[in-house]
């Protein structure tokens, strides 16, 4: 059920139960990162393959030394600049981090969420929280407590309500090779912002054969309705005449003789606002009994790159 009772959430987590928590990016399915019992429950609930590692959520920058070692200087620079916030760092793991968290890798993904409820909860706990996004594997991430409830119903005893996520896209994931930052997943912080802090970033987000991150699989973040992505919505609309269509648009509605469902993500053309609204709009379209969804391509800059990345993974292949 949906609640705001942090004490109840704390008790459940101490008992190795799973709690859905709000973060500024998307809601998570959180469990004690040091408890095999809790970790197994996360994978089971999410139907997530065990070879996909989880992000560890911690409460302070100093706490990172309990999780990771041999931390590059540029990683600390990024942490100090962006934490708490939507940046996940992939670092060499401390020995005691369970293999279930890291999928047996010698690296661990870690971040400090920037949400008052998540931070208050972490402050109450003497262990960090492993948490993937609170959606079944492959589907659209949740940006409200109601989205989580729709996915999991009474499989989850506690969904902590923290309102709508302020960012609405997952964290940006950065690893390091020879002290050079590597982008593993586009996210809520643009590459441009990362590069302003630490210089050139190498992008490695699109390797279907050996995905470092499941968020990199070519079909992910996907609605159950067939979805198409195009630069020219009007043209594509013509080829689907007679179908029940929903549109996902950046700034402007489309003139159309029939009354079709249209979701405009930011009337003022603000990419941050569009990012915040993206998943909620996809959830609404997906629940509207449409034959297809047509999404408009976004400008390929700043958060537009992350939005395009998610839309490309949402499309019918
Ligand atoms: O914004 C977020 O990051 C949200 C909130 C809840 O914090 N979490 C999230 O988790 O998106 P999830 O599990 O849906 O995606 C985590 C990503 C996965 O793509 C996973 O493969 C990657 O992090 N990851 C975890 N550990 C990794 C590692 N050691 N190396 C590379 N990628 C890793
Ligand atoms: Mg996810």
């Amino acid at each position: 059920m949906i609640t705001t009772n942090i004490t109840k959430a704390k008790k459940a987590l101490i008992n190795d139960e799973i709690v859905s928590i709000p973060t500024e990016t998307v809601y998570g399915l959180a469990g004690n990162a040091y408890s095999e019992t809790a970790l197994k429950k996360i994978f089971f609930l999410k139907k997530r393959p065990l070879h996909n590692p989880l992000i560890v959520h911690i409460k302070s920058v100093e706490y990172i030394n309990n999780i990771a070692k041999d931390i590059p200087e540029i990683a600390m620079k990024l942490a100090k600049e962006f934490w708490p916030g939507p940046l996940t760092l992939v670092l060499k793991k401390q020995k005691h981090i369970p293999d279930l968290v890291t999928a047996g890798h010698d690296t661990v993904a870690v971040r400090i969420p920037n949400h008052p409820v998540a931070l208050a909860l972490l402050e109450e706990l003497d262990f960090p929280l492993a948490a993937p996004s609170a959606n079944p594997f492959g589907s659209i991430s949740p940006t409200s407590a109601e989205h989580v409830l729709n996915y999991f119903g009474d499989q989850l005893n506690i969904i902590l309500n923290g309102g709508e996520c302020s960012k609405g896209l997952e964290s940006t994931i950065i690893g390091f090779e020879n002290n050079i930052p590597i982008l593993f997943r586009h996210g809520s912080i643009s590459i441009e912002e990362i590069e302003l802090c630490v210089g050139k970033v190498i992008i490695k987000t699109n390797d279907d054969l050996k995905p470092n991150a499941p968020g990199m699989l070519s079909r992910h973040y996907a609605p159950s309705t067939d979805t198409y992505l195009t630069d020219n919505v009007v043209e594509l609309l013509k080829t689907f005449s007679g179908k029940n269509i929903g549109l996902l648009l950046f700034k402007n509605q489309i003139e159309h003789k029939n009354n079709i469902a249209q979701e405009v993500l930011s009337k003022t053309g603000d990419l941050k606002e569009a990012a915040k609204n993206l998943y909620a709009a996809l959830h609404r379209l997906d629940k509207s009994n449409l034959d297809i969804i047509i999404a408009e391509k976004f400008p390929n800059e700043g958060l537009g790159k992350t939005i395009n990345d998610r839309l490309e993974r949402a499309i019918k292949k």
Side-chain angles (χ1 to χ4, degrees), residues 230-238 245-264 294-297:
T230 175
D231 301 305
N232 194 333
V233 175
V234 175
E235 275 306 303
L236 193 58
L237 259 174
K238 286 182 196 155
I245 301 171
L247 301 180
L248 186 81
L249 303 162
F250 180 21
K251 290 187 270 196
N252 301 311
Q253 286 222 340
I254 301 260
E255 299 266 344
H256 198 268
K257 54 183 185 318
N258 300 331
N259 191 14
I260 56 175
Q262 304 200 29
E263 292 279 352
V264 172
I294 297 178
E296 179 177 28
K297 258 195 197 150

Side-chain angles (χ1 to χ4, degrees), residues 46 48 132-133 135 141 170 185 220-221:
K46 195 173 157 80
R48 176 165 172 135
S133 51
N135 51 280
S141 297
E170 295 81 354
R185 179 175 74 182
H220 210 83
Y221 312 103

Side-chain angles (χ1 to χ4, degrees), residues 168-198:
L169 290 172
E170 295 81 354
S171 60
T172 303
I173 304 184
I174 302 277
F176 303 89
E177 280 169 22
N178 304 317
N179 277 322
I180 295 169
I182 315 284
L183 180 86
F184 287 139
R185 179 175 74 182
H186 290 279
S188 263
I189 300 174
S190 66
I191 310 178
E192 289 89 336
E193 287 172 274
I194 302 280
E195 289 190 331
L196 266 182
C197 180
V198 289

Side-chain angles (χ1 to χ4, degrees), residues 199-243:
K200 191 78 195 136
V201 171
I202 295 173
I203 301 175
K204 284 199 181 172
T205 57
N206 230 335
D207 185 349
D208 252 6
L209 296 173
K210 248 184 80 189
N212 277 307
M216 296 161 55
L217 295 175
S218 64
R219 194 159 156 80
H220 210 83
Y221 312 103
S224 49
T225 314
D226 286 348
T227 301
Y228 296 80
L229 180 62
T230 175
D231 301 305
N232 194 333
V233 175
V234 175
E235 275 306 303
L236 193 58
L237 259 174
K238 286 182 196 155
T239 66
F240 286 112
S241 64
K243 293 252 185 208

Side-chain angles (χ1 to χ4, degrees), residues 136-152:
F137 184 68
S139 50
I140 311 163
S141 297
T143 53
S144 70
E146 289 73 25
H147 291 158
V148 181
L149 186 67
N150 286 339
Y151 276 139
F152 295 102

